[in-house]
């Protein structure tokens, strides 16, 4: 099985804190699920730490330390966080994601035969969704206008670019068009972050695209 | 100066006994570094000072999550400072990733005892590496960390093809990987 890591420049964008919220969430999930990506971000963080340590100081005003110490009177040192108990039905969601799935979130059937949970991220214009595909089912043929980031959270899928399993990361736009098909076994669940609406290129695309553009489907 | 081991001991002292003297020592060393780091991105001194204070308070709160075998103090505090920068400068509602999410990268793993080298040693090697990067590579890495820019924005600013910026980043990060993994099988 080949592994599909996020490109290194995207890991740097992430570690520098420069990504918009949707893409940052996609990379955070990749890092949570892929030990090699985690190791890579650890190394980049170490680079950031060394740069902060070595490259300059700016004095604070004289009372800054005293003011900060005074604030500590009411701020406790927190215990190490306990391992989380996964929410029933959402065992596949790593912590950075689980926190953002609303209590009332339900899978919703979408035209084209897949299910979706939309995530609303404050201050981000990306379309961020969880998609669930039944084994052997595909997404409608589509192409991308802007960037697309996909992280597999459960199961797997294949398209013309390869086979993707849990923790794998895909960056679009890749080939002109692609048609992902879910692997046999359990349903495939993935986080998809899209910069701009996709354009459906199948037979119904002409009628559906206006709805996609208006965010209705 | 504060060695990586001394800095780690100070964070551990906060975790073990809410040690205010240890906090004060960390603050004296790191708050001016966080402030300078934030100011290099073009933030005014007053806001940068606020970020530095908030970051050091987060160091106090999260001290029990620090693990010196996973990250040096500098790396761990950088991670917190970066989150505070996102938090305070963007002000676009609650950030999607919390400090816990950012620090999760340093949480212990069951199966990695043999692949991690001591964070103090990592720190020394990264520092050496920084000194040996080419000017072309360093400018890209600096813009990312200090100016909070994506590689796409950096390419536009430097008027370089995207592929050139990507290959500089990949070369620099490849050297980082080699420097840190040279003892590994």
């Amino acid at each position: 099985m080949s592994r599909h890591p996020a490109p290194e420049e995207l890991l740097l964008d992430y570690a520098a804190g420069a990504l918009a919220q949707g893409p940052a969430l996609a990379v955070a999930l990749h890092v949570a699920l892929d030990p090699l990506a985690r190791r890579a971000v650890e190394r980049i963080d170490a680079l950031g730490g060394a740069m902060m340590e070595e490259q300059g100081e700016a004095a604070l005003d004289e009372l800054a330390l005293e003011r900060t110490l005074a604030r500590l009177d009411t701020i406790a040192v927190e215990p190490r966080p306990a391992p989380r108990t996964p929410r029933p039905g959402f065992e596949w969601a790593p912590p950075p994601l689980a926190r953002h799935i609303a209590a009332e979130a339900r899978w919703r059937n979408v035209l084209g035969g897949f299910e979706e949970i939309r995530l609303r991220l404050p201050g981000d214009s990306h379309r961020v969704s969880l998609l669930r595909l039944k084994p052997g089912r595909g997404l409608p043929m589509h192409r991308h206008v802007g960037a697309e980031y996909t992280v597999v959270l459960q199961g797997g899928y294949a398209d013309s670019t390869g086979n993707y399993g849990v923790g794998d990361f895909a960056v679009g736009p890749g080939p002109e068009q692609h048609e992902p098909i879910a692997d046999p076994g359990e349903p495939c669940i993935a986080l998809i972050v899209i910069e701009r609406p996709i354009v459906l290129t199948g037979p119904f695309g002409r009628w559906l695209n206006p709805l996609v553009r208006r965010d209705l489907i | 100066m504060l060695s990586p081991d001394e800095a780690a001991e100070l964070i551990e002292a906060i975790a073990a006994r809410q040690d205010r003297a240890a906090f004060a020592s960390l603050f004296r060393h790191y708050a001016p570094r966080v402030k300078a780091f934030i100011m290099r991105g073009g933030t005014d001194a007053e806001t940068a000072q606020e970020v530095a204070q908030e970051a050091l308070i987060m160091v106090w709160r999260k001290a029990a999550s620090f693990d010196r075998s996973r990250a040096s103090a500098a790396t761990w505090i950088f991670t917190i400072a970066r989150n505070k920068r996102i938090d305070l400068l963007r002000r676009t509602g609650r950030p999607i990733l919390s400090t816990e999410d950012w620090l999760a990268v340093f949480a212990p793993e069951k199966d990695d005892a043999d692949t991690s080298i001591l964070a103090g040693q990592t720190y020394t090697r990264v520092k050496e590496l920084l000194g040996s990067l080419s000017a072309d590579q360093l400018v890209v890495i600096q813009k990312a960390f200090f100016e909070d820019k994506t590689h796409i924005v950096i390419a536009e600013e430097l008027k370089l093809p995207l592929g050139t910026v990507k290959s500089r980043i990949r070369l620099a990060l490849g050297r980082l990987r080699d420097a840190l993994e040279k003892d590994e099988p």
Side-chain angles (χ1 to χ4, degrees):
Chain A
M1 272 269 302
S2 65
R3 178 181 162 262
H4 297 274
E8 287 195 288
E9 61 277 6
L10 198 67
L11 295 181
L12 176 65
D13 290 349
Y14 170 75
L19 288 179
Q21 306 229 38
L25 179 62
V27 177
L29 297 182
H30 175 54
V31 169
L33 294 170
D34 180 342
L36 291 179
R38 177 175 161 174
R39 198 91 59 231
V41 168
E42 237 176 60
R43 288 193 296 266
I44 300 173
D45 283 348
L47 189 60
M51 292 182 85
M52 189 185 79
E53 177 88 39
E54 302 296 325
Q55 303 200 350
E57 294 174 49
L60 277 76
D61 76 52
E62 286 172 9
L63 296 174
L65 175 56
E66 279 175 48
R67 275 198 312 268
T68 308
L69 280 170
R71 285 178 60 192
L72 296 185
D73 294 341
T74 57
I75 300 173
V77 177
E78 296 168 11
R80 194 180 276 254
R84 95 203 151 97
T85 23
R87 179 169 149 194
F90 293 89
E91 291 81 0
W92 42 267
L97 171 64
R99 192 172 301 131
H100 295 283
I101 302 176
E104 67 278 11
R106 297 284 177 278
W107 290 106
R108 195 173 62 93
N109 278 307
V110 182
L111 283 164
F114 60 94
E115 295 168 292
E116 180 182 35
I117 294 174
R118 287 287 292 277
L119 300 180
R120 310 277 167 188
L121 307 188
D124 189 11
S125 61
H126 287 81
R127 177 176 173 137
V128 182
S129 296
L130 291 161
L131 298 189
R132 184 163 74 175
L133 271 169
K134 292 197 177 75
R137 294 297 296 272
L139 280 183
M141 182 70 90
H142 62 281
R143 66 185 165 85
H144 301 287
V145 183
E148 180 198 52
Y149 308 97
T150 304
V151 195
V152 180
L153 306 173
Q154 177 187 288
Y157 74 87
D159 67 11
S160 56
T161 65
N163 296 294
Y164 293 79
V166 171
D168 277 342
F169 196 92
V171 186
E176 279 280 295
Q177 301 183 5
H178 71 142
E179 190 172 22
I181 307 280
D183 293 345
E186 55 188 351
C188 176
I189 299 175
L191 179 89
I192 320 266
V193 178
I194 303 173
E195 197 173 15
R196 268 166 298 185
I198 55 172
V199 179
L200 298 172
T201 55
F204 303 108
R206 198 176 137 197
W207 291 281
L208 295 178
N209 282 325
L211 302 176
V212 172
R213 276 199 296 277
R214 274 182 276 146
D215 219 18
L216 293 174
I217 54 174
Chain B
M1 279 307 288
L2 206 53
S3 75
D5 283 343
E6 286 164 347
E9 278 155 24
L10 293 174
I11 301 175
E12 287 161 2
I14 294 172
R17 48 183 181 278
Q18 313 226 341
D19 190 325
R20 294 167 71 95
F23 178 83
S25 302
L26 270 180
F27 189 98
R28 284 190 202 98
H29 183 80
Y30 279 109
R33 286 173 167 77
V34 175
K35 184 179 175 183
F37 163 68
I38 302 294
M39 285 177 71
R40 285 191 59 176
T43 303
D44 66 274
E46 198 182 334
T47 310
Q49 173 158 313
E50 190 192 337
V51 175
Q53 290 174 180
E54 292 300 326
L56 269 291
I57 283 176
M58 191 59 86
V59 167
W60 170 268
R61 283 177 51 190
K62 300 293 174 196
S65 302
F66 174 71
D67 177 349
R68 72 159 89 191
S69 71
R70 304 287 320 179
S72 71
T75 298
W76 194 73
I77 294 172
F78 159 75
T79 304
I80 289 175
R82 171 192 55 195
N83 188 48
K84 282 290 151 199
R85 175 173 68 184
I86 297 170
D87 201 353
L88 287 170
L89 302 186
R90 294 203 175 144
R91 298 187 194 278
T92 51
R94 212 163 69 86
I96 185 96
L97 297 175
S98 66
T99 301
E100 284 81 6
D101 294 331
W102 286 111
L103 294 179
V105 77
F106 304 124
E109 268 172 13
K110 287 176 216 79
D111 56 350
D112 68 347
D114 55 343
T115 56
S116 76
I117 48 173
L118 277 177
Q121 199 182 350
T122 301
Y123 182 76
T124 313
R125 290 186 188 174
V126 172
K127 208 174 110 178
E128 283 167 13
L129 173 85
L130 261 181
S132 73
L133 288 180
S134 73
D136 280 350
Q137 290 167 8
L138 194 60
V139 73
V140 172
I141 302 288
Q142 280 178 329
K143 276 190 172 294
F145 281 121
F146 289 121
E147 300 175 22
D148 187 14
K149 286 172 180 148
T150 64
H151 68 280
I152 296 172
V153 174
I154 293 170
E156 283 164 7
E157 272 196 14
L158 297 176
K159 298 191 168 54
L160 288 169
L162 195 55
T164 306
V165 170
K166 283 185 189 180
S167 66
R168 284 183 190 176
I169 291 171
R170 289 176 186 187
L171 279 171
L173 297 184
R175 293 192 53 202
L176 177 67
R177 185 176 53 239
D178 293 346
L180 294 183
E181 293 183 355
K182 60 187 168 191
D183 291 343
E184 290 172 24

